[in-house]
Each structure stands twice: as structure tokens, then as C-alpha cells.
């Protein structure tokens, strides 16, 4: 029982991180109809940044983490401005460009950071006993807390602020939004940056738990994509629910079925969703 | 009494919170030419989109030639015999005029004709709308007027029994409008195609239609002979309301 | 007319060239022909219907592994095995196409990417059958190994592929492909069953990848999870993009140029992927019609001064 609960808790922790990462993808799809295939690479880069800022440049991890996310945000803005914006409305070229970019970034990561896994220092050590059943690492608990904080922040941003209202307006009806005087170029750019920053956040949160490697990025993108399809394209709530479902299933599956096939569960879920409910749990059926 | 070619019963369609069509009932008899008018945003194009299967109606049913079509896909509806043009023209920009028409001929799904035979037939449609000399030009190189003609030819080439024309006269000068009306007359009398058309050019649509249906804010507010329409207070109000706004 | 004047000498060249090449360059030519098949068939879906599949290399892997494992385990001869592999690839193509294409292009790209990854993971982990990253040794086509024979085999199959593709593009089907690419709604309103057209294009292209992969596997005689990898997929995509998507010649040109170039770059280390990536980004951004587009423009400028 305790063992099961521990795997379940692992699933929850990974689940909220999945959710953050997936929202990064979903935001960009919802607003620009662009899938960012370089998502996983941004995530990995954030992990490496955080590692090098704290270990090579001696910054405190508390500073290194947000700073890394900020760098990724800037990279996202640059990507949108230089590469995505000209393809606007041409879905095919945006797919090609972000895919090629993912390969370029992956190979750059290999060159710059080397092929070995890197693990930035933990913010906190030790463990806590949960309900008197099992010991759980404090770093994981903290990651869980930070992730929840980020999720709340994103929901606040989308539901309550001017930026969020514009984003929702554009996602629903682009023409209407531009008639209402929303500058969609700026919103696109910020959203892309934000999507990247969310990938980065997930990366810096997970890196102290599971070290990052340049070759791990495709699996990370894939997880995020499956969550987005499962939850329903463009739905934030879907990302959270989908992220948790996938996190828990993958962890239980890895524990009780086979570790090798962690990602296969994700793919099976993807196929099942496409067969039975292609618009996802919270998506709009059109 | 002639046959009902198109019939809508309680057709409704909304986008998010916006009710673009609320419970529309209408009938088109075979051989008629019926005008659809109404102020901007009245739901005219939406009605065409629902009829041609671009989106299914939220509620209500559509019958074409007595067959229920409201759950069919656009290509199926087209093959049954409803051709359409788009208000904002959508030719295949990177294909030649001839290829644009060929697609409609291919779309009919007829067997036993070679590509060469189809090309010959396609040229006739180009000839009909006066684009014969442009057959090898890419559609993106046409002027707007030429694109509109291509659009009509493409719809005709699907061999429709019913043709939906969405503001084909918009942007034409008076003499071009006369030419276009001539064409519409031929489509109706010689090709025996029923016509349902949306137009903002009042003079033309009043003159050429047997009957007019008026939409306003998603509702059918009036239906009748052109002369009844122009004198109806509700119709006048709907249009005045627009120009005052 | 013009076309025959260019292609006749080219055919002569391709037939007689191998007699003057070293074993090493013969190998490079064979690999280039493999990429010609891959990039040209990928171009059929990407360039002519506007759908980006990331499973093209995966389907080549399916072809290679199905045929290879049949040969190793139950002794089915390779020339028969590659047809089985092609068939399996086309079945998977229909399945994936049917699931995703009605949901739109983004779904196809996502799912094919997933399929690629999963296939790689399965091949790597099921090493009892596939020998994982060690690679599976499989028999070749000819009892007596000769690069020259393989060269002509690849040349003939490439020619058949290109012939089929050319006929297809210039048929009614090809017109429908382009109509769907130009404007899906307008095509549907003209009576084209756009979903069927897209699935068909995807299936044909996937089957071709399966066949190419089978040939490739039996040439290498050692198949590894690198065949269905995303790195391989990237190379195929880069060849089509840099050569010129949506043109018949583009991917052929891209395949030869990139494969030969990568041989030169390899001397300095594994930088060719990064370099091709950067070039492909530049091309997609600034010259979306690729090398063919650039050449055509030059030609026109010269013609009409
Ligand atoms: N795809 C869509 N998504 C959201 N709203 C839509 C969509 N299509 C139409 N609408 C809305 O539905 C209403 C009716 O639009 P429609 O295009 O049918 O009007 P119309 O009568 O053709 O107007 P016009 O004379 O300007 O062409 C408008 O308010 C429009 O904004
Ligand atoms: Mg309209």
C-alpha cells in the first residue's frame, strides 16, 4: 500500500510538471495554430542553464532557476520574431521550421553541454514522512509546491488579466479580436515567449530530480503533445487533468508493468484518444 | 406545381454565444431564382455554409431533392448537385485556370472519361465565363473580376442542379453587372439550374429574382415578390437601422 | 523536348558512371539513391498535399525490420520480404492516416512523431528479436556480394519510383492533391473527398518508404534503430526542403547534394546534421521553394533581361 501511494505521489509530482509543460504547448497552439516541436529542447536547455548558472557560475539555485527561465523566455521571443512570424498562416512551414529547430537545438546541446546527464543542485535536502506511510524527498515536495504556484499564476494570467483576455479573444475568433483592436502580433510574440518559459520552468523544476540529457528532449515533447491532445487542444483545464492522468499512469505503469515502456503508455493513450474522443477531454468538438 | 428542390426546416446555427441563424424555414422550387438579402452580419453566408455542408446546423433539417442532407459532408452535397461560390473568392491560387475547373470535373467522380476529354469540357466552361484566353494563367495572377468569373465557372463545372451565388456582383461596375446578369439568365434558362443568390446590389437582385428572402440578425423577417419586399416597413427598417448605425 | 535533352545524357551518365567509381563512391551513390526514394516519396505528401509526416524514416524502419526479421527467423528470401515490409508499412500508413487526418495536419505531425519514437524504443528494447542497438544481421539480395549489382538494383527501383510519382502527380489524383494543398474548403466544395485524398497520398508515400527501407536494410545487411530514427527523418526532410518541396526535381537534387556533402563534412566530425539544420532553417525561411526555386528564378532573370 505504502509503495503504491509513493508511486502515486510520484505520479502527482510529475503530473503537475507535465501540466506546466503542456500548457506551454497548448497556449501556442490555441493562439497561433503552431506546434512547437522544439518544446522539449527548450525544456532541456533550461535544465542545463540552471545547472551551469549554479555550478559553473556559482549562482544560488534560487536565482539560477528564474534566470534560466527568463533566458528561455527570450529565446522564445526571438524564435517567434525571426522564424515563426513569417510563416504565419502557413501551418506546414511552421511545422517544418520548429522540427528543424528542434534538431538544431538538440545537436547544439550535444556540442555545448556534452552527451552526459546533468543535475543541478537541489534547493533543499532531506525527506518528510507522509501520513506515517513513506518517506518522500523534500526536493520533490518543494517541486510540487512550486509547480502548483506556477499553475495558479498561469490561470490568473489567462483568466483575470488584460493579456489573458486578449489571448482568449484571439483563440476564439482571430478576426473579431483584431476588430476589437487587439494587437495580435504582440500577443503572439508574448505567448510564444510564455510558452517557451513554461517549457523552461518545467525543465528547471525537474532537473534536480531527473537529470537532463540532450537526447531526452523528444520524449519530453511527446509527453507534452499527448497531454495536450488528451486534454483537448487549447484547453488549460485539459492540460492539468491530462498532465495528472498521464503522470500517474506512467509512474504506476513503470512501477508495475515495465520501466522500458514508460513512453509507450503515452502513445497508447494518444491512439485511444484519437479513436474514441479525438477532440480530447475538454476540447471543443467541431 | 413544381418540385421542391431545397427545403430548410428550423435551421439554426450559432458561433459561441452568437446566434447567426435562428430557426429558419424556407423552400426553393425547382427552376426558381431566389434572392437572399439582409444587412451585414444577417447570417446570409452562414445559411449558404450550412446548406453546402461547411458546418452542420445545430438544429433543424435540410432537404435537397427530398433527401436529408444536413449531416452530409461538403463533397457529398456537391456531388448531389449543389454548387457554390464563396463571398471571398477561393480559387486554387497556385493552379492554372484550366486546372481549377478540372478539379470540379474530377470532383463529380464520373468514370470513363479521360483527362483529355475532361480538359476539353473544362475549356467550354472557361469559354462560357470569358476566360478561355487565360486557361494557362495561374489563378493568383487573375484580377478580382476574373477570379469571380473563375469561381462561377468552377461552381458550374460541378454540374449542379442548384447554384448558390454569394455576392458575385460586388465590386463590378454597371456594365459588368449587366454582363453578369446576362450570364445568370443563361444559367437559369439554358442550363436549367435553380439559383439561390445573395446580393447587396439591390437594383439587380430585385430585377432578376422571382422571389426574395430577407434575413436580419439570423431571422427570416420577410419573404415574397420583389415588389412586396421593397415596400415592406420591416425590411426598410432593417436596412435603415444599418445605415444609421 | 528540353527535358529529353537534359535527361538522356543524365541516364547515360548514371548507367556508365559506376564503372569509373571506387567502391567507396559507389557506396555513396547507392546511399544517395536510397535518399532519392525517401525524399521524393516524402515530397508526395509534404510538397503536394501539405501534410508533414515525421514517420517516413519510421516506415523505412518497418520495411527493413519486417523483411530482415522474416529472413532471419523463417528464411523468407529478401526479394519477397521487402514486399511484405512494404505491405505492413502501407497498412500502418492507412491506420495512422485514418486516425489523424480527419483531425487536421497538426494531429498527423504529432502522431507520426510519436509513432517514430515508439518504434525506436520498441526496436531498441525488444533486443531478443531485433538485437537492439547492436543491430540485426540480415542477408543481402545477392549470393555474391557486389556493390555494382546493388547500384543497379537501387537505380532501377528509384527510376520506377520516380516514374510512378511523376505519373501520379500529373494524373487526376495529382490535381486533387494540389487542390487540397491550395484550399481544402474550396476543394471539398468542388466535390473532392479531401480526407480520402490525404489518406491515399499518405499511404502511397508510406508504402514507398517501406520499400526503400527494405532495400536499404538488405544492402547494409546490418539494421539498427538508426534507420527509423528522427535523425534519419530530419535528413530526408532537409533534402526535400533544401532541394525544393513541391517540385519533382527538388528532392532528387537535395538527396544527391546533401548525401555527397555529408561525406565531405564527416571528415571533420559529426557536424553535418547541425549544418544541414541551419541551412534548412534558412531555406525554409527565405527561399521556401529551395534550390530548384532559386535556379528557376535565375533562369527567368536571364531569359528576360
Ligand atoms: N466561422 C465563424 N465563426 C464565428 N462567427 C461567425 C463565423 N461565420 C460567421 N460568423 C458570424 O455570424 C454572423 C453572420 O455572418 P454572415 O457571414 O453569415 O453574415 P452575412 O449576412 O453574410 O453578412 P455580409 O453581408 O457582411 O456578408 C456575423 O456576426 C459573423 O461575425
Ligand atoms: Mg456574407
Amino acid at each position: 500500500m505504502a509503495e503504491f501511494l509513493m508511486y502515486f505521489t510520484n505520479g502527482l509530482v510529475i503530473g503537475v510538471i507535465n501540466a506546466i509543460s503542456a500548457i506551454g504547448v497548448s497556449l501556442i497552439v490555441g493562439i497561433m495554430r503552431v506546434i512547437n516541436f522544439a518544446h522539449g529542447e527548450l525544456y532541456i536547455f533550461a535544465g542545463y542553464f540552471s545547472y551551469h548558472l549554479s555550478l559553473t557560475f556559482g549562482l544560488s539555485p534560487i536565482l539560477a532557476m528564474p534566470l534560466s527561465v527568463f533566458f528561455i523566455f527570450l529565446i522564445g521571443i526571438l524564435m517567434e520574431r525571426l522564424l515563426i512570424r513569417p510563416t504565419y498562416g502557413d501551418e506546414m512551414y511552421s511545422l517544418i521550421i520548429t522540427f528543424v529547430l528542434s534538431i538544431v537545438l538538440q545537436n547544439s546541446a550535444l556540442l555545448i553541454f556534452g552527451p552526459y546527464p546533468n543535475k543541478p543542485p537541489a534547493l533543499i535536502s532531506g525527506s518528510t514522512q507522509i501520513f506515517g506511510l513513506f518517506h518522500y524527498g523534500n526536493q520533490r515536495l518543494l517541486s510540487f509546491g512550486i509547480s502548483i504556484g506556477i499553475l495558479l499564476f498561469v490561470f490568473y494570467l489567462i483568466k483575470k488579466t488584460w493579456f489573458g483576455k486578449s489571448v482568449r479573444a484571439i483563440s476564439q475568433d482571430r478576426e473579431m479580436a483584431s476588430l476589437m483592436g487587439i494587437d495580435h502580433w504582440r500577443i503572439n510574440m508574448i505567448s510564444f515567449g510564455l510558452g517557451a518559459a513554461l517549457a523552461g520552468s518545467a525543465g528547471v523544476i525537474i532537473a534536480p530530480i531527473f537529470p537532463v540529457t540532450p537526447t531526452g528532449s523528444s520524449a519530453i515533447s511527446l509527453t507534452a503533445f499527448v497531454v495536450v491532445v488528451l486534454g483537448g487542444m487549447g484547453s488549460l483545464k485539459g492540460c492539468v487533468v491530462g498532465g495528472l492522468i498521464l503522470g500517474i499512469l506512467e509512474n504506476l505503469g513503470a512501477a508495475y508493468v515495465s520501466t522500458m515502456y514508460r513512453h509507450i503508455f503515452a502513445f497508447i493513450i494518444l491512439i485511444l484518444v484519437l479513436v474514441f474522443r479525438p477532440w480530447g477531454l475538454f476540447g471543443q468538438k467541431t | 406545381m413544381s418540385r421542391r428542390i431545397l427545403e430548410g426546416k428550423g435551421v439554426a446555427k450559432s458561433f459561441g454565444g452568437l446566434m447567426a441563424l435562428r430557426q429558419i424555414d424556407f423552400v426553393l422550387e425547382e427552376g426558381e431564382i431566389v434572392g437572399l438579402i439582409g444587412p451585414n452580419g444577417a447570417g446570409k453566408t452562414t445559411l449558404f455554409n450550412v446548406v453546402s455542408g461547411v458546418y452542420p446546423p445545430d438544429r433543424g433539417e435540410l432537404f435537397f431533392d427530398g433527401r436529408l442532407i444536413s449531416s452530409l459532408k461538403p463533397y457529398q452535397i456537391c456531388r448531389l448537385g449543389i454548387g457554390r461560390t464563396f463571398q471571398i473568392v477561393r480559387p486554387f491560387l497556385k493552379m492554372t485556370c484550366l486546372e481549377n475547373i478540372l478539379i470540379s470535373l474530377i470532383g463529380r467522380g464520373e468514370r470513363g472519361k479521360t483527362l483529355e476529354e475532361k480538359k476539353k469540357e473544362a475549356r467550354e466552361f472557361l469559354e462560357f465565363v470569358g476566360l478561355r484566353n487565360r486557361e494557362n494563367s495561374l489563378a493568383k495572377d487573375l484580377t478580382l473580376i476574373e477570379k469571380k468569373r473563375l469561381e462561377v465557372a468552377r461552381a458550374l463545372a460541378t454540374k449542379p442542379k442548384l447554384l448558390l451565388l454569394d455576392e458575385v456582383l460586388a465590386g463590378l461596375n454597371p456594365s459588368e453587372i449587366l454582363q453578369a446578369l446576362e450570364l445568370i439568365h443563361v444559367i437559369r434558362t439554358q442550363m436549367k439550374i435553380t439559383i439561390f443568390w445573395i446580393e447587396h446590389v439591390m437594383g439587380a437582385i430585385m430585377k432578376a429574382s422571382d422571389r426574395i428572402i430577407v434575413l436580419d440578425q439570423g431571422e427570416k423577417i420577410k419573404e415574397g415578390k420583389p415588389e412586396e419586399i421593397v415596400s415592406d416597413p420591416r425590411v426598410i427598417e432593417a436596412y435603415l437601422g444599418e445605415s444609421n448605425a | 523536348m528540353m527535358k529529353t535533352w537534359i535527361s538522356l545524357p543524365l541516364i547515360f551518365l548514371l548507367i556508365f558512371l559506376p564503372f569509373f567509381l571506387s567502391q567507396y563512391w559507389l557506396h555513396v551513390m547507392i546511399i544517395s539513391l536510397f535518399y532519392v526514394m525517401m525524399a521524393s516519396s516524402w515530397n508526395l505528401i509534404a510538397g503536394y498535399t501539405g501534410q508533414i509526416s515525421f514517420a517516413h524514416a519510421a516506415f523505412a524502419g518497418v520495411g527493413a525490420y519486417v523483411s530482415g526479421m522474416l529472413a532471419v527467423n523463417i528464411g523468407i528470401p529478401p526479394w519477397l520480404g521487402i514486399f511484405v515490409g512494404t505491405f505492413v508499412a502501407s497498412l500502418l500508413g492507412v491506420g495512422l492516416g485514418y486516425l489523424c487526418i480527419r483531425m487536421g495536419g497538426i494531429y498527423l505531425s504529432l502522431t507520426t512523431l510519436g509513432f517514430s519514437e515508439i518504434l525506436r524504443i520498441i526496436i531498441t528494447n525488444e533486443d531478443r528479436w531485433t538485437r537492439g542497438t547492436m543491430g540485426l544481421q540480415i542477408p543481402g539480395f545477392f549470393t555474391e556480394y557486389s556493390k555494382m549489382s546493388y547500384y543497379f538494383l537501387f537505380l532501377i527501383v528509384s527510376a520506377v519510383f520516380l516514374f510512378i510519382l511523376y505519373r501520379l502527380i500529373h494524373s487526376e489524383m495529382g490535381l486533387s492533391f494540389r487542390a487540397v494543398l491550395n484550399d481544402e474548403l474550396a476543394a471539398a466544395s468542388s466535390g473532392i473527398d479531401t480526407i480520402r485524398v490525404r489518406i491515399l497520398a499518405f499511404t502511397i508515400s508510406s508504402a514507398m518508404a517501406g520499400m526503400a527501407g527494405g532495400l536499404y536494410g538488405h544492402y547494409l545487411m546490418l539494421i539498427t534503430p538508426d534507420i527509423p530514427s528522427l535523425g534519419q527523418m530530419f535528413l530526408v526532410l532537409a533534402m526535400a526542403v533544401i532541394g525544393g518541396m513541391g517540385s519533382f526535381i527538388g528532392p532528387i537534387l537535395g538527396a544527391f547534394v546533401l548525401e555527397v556533402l555529408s561525406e565531405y563534412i564527416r571528415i571533420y566530425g559529426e557536424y553535418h546534421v547541425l549544418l544541414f539544420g541551419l541551412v534548412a532553417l534558412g531555406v525554409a525561411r527565405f527561399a521556401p521553394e529551395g534550390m530548384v526555386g532559386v535556379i528557376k528564378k535565375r533562369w527567368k532573370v536571364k531569359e528576360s533581361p
Side-chain angles (χ1 to χ4, degrees), chain C residues 34 38 41 55-57 59-61 63 89 161 204-214:
Chain C
F34 164 68
M38 290 294 283
S41 53
H56 213 60
F59 286 125
F161 269 34
I204 295 172
S205 144
S206 305
M208 285 185 160
M211 170 77 77

Side-chain angles (χ1 to χ4, degrees), chain A residues 173, chain B residues 15 18 20 38-47 55 87 167 200:
Chain A
D173 189 334
Chain B
F15 298 106
L18 181 100
N40 288 110
K44 306 180 295 288
T45 300
T46 305
L47 185 61
Y55 12 77
Q87 179 172 357
E167 301 201 18
H200 276 299

Side-chain angles (χ1 to χ4, degrees), chain A residues 29 33-35 37 81-84 86-87 91-93 95-101 103-108 111 215 218-219 221-222 225-226 228-229 232-233 260-261 263-268 270-271 274-276 278-280 286, chain C residues 42 45-47 49-52 54 96 99-100 102-107 109-118 120-122 125-126 181 230-231 233-234 237 241 245 270-271 273-274 276-278 280-281 283-285 287-289:
Chain A
V29 177
R33 306 280 177 270
V34 169
I35 284 273
F37 281 103
R81 190 68 194 82
L82 297 179
L83 293 173
I84 310 296
T87 70
E91 185 184 290
M92 184 175 82
Y93 270 96
L95 290 172
I96 290 180
I97 284 188
T98 63
F99 176 75
V100 173
L101 195 65
I103 299 285
V104 168
L105 289 178
Q106 208 179 74
N107 278 275
S108 319
L111 273 184
T215 44
S218 343
S221 296
L222 205 59
F225 299 155
V226 173
V228 170
V229 174
M233 278 223 183
M260 293 291 195
Y261 284 103
H263 297 295
I264 303 233
F265 298 121
F267 188 68
I268 292 172
L270 175 64
I271 296 295
L274 286 174
V275 171
F276 293 106
W279 57 94
T286 43
Chain C
W42 187 75
I45 29 168
T49 70
Q51 313 176 94
I52 304 299
F54 291 124
L96 283 180
L99 276 183
C100 310
R102 61 200 162 123
M103 293 303 294
I106 286 182
Y107 282 79
S109 299
L110 288 185
T111 313
T112 49
L113 186 81
F115 177 73
S116 270
E117 271 298 284
I118 295 312
R120 191 185 55 79
I121 294 175
I122 293 179
N125 287 319
E126 289 297 324
L181 172 68
L230 283 178
M233 180 64 236
F234 161 75
L237 178 143
V241 168
M245 268 168 59
E270 290 288 316
Y271 297 115
V273 173
L274 192 56
F276 292 162
L278 290 173
L281 274 186
V283 170
R285 168 74 178 78
E289 288 173 17

Side-chain angles (χ1 to χ4, degrees), chain A residues 13-14 17 43-52 54-55 60-62 64-66 68-69 117-126 137-144 146-147 199-213:
Chain A
V13 175
I14 300 298
I17 299 175
Y43 181 116
I44 296 285
F45 264 76
Y48 277 111
F49 283 171
S50 145
Y51 172 84
H52 283 288
S54 41
L55 288 182
S60 147
I62 298 178
M65 281 169 67
S68 310
V69 172
N118 277 163
K119 197 170 183 170
L123 288 168
I124 189 172
S125 61
N138 284 337
Q139 176 65 35
R140 292 192 179 201
L141 290 176
L142 183 64
S143 300
F144 186 71
I146 297 176
S147 306
S201 309
V204 296
I205 293 173
I206 206 139
I209 307 177
F210 297 114
V212 286
T213 64

Side-chain angles (χ1 to χ4, degrees), chain C residues 238-249:
Chain C
M239 287 164 178
V241 168
I242 295 174
M245 268 168 59
S247 79
F248 184 74
I249 303 294

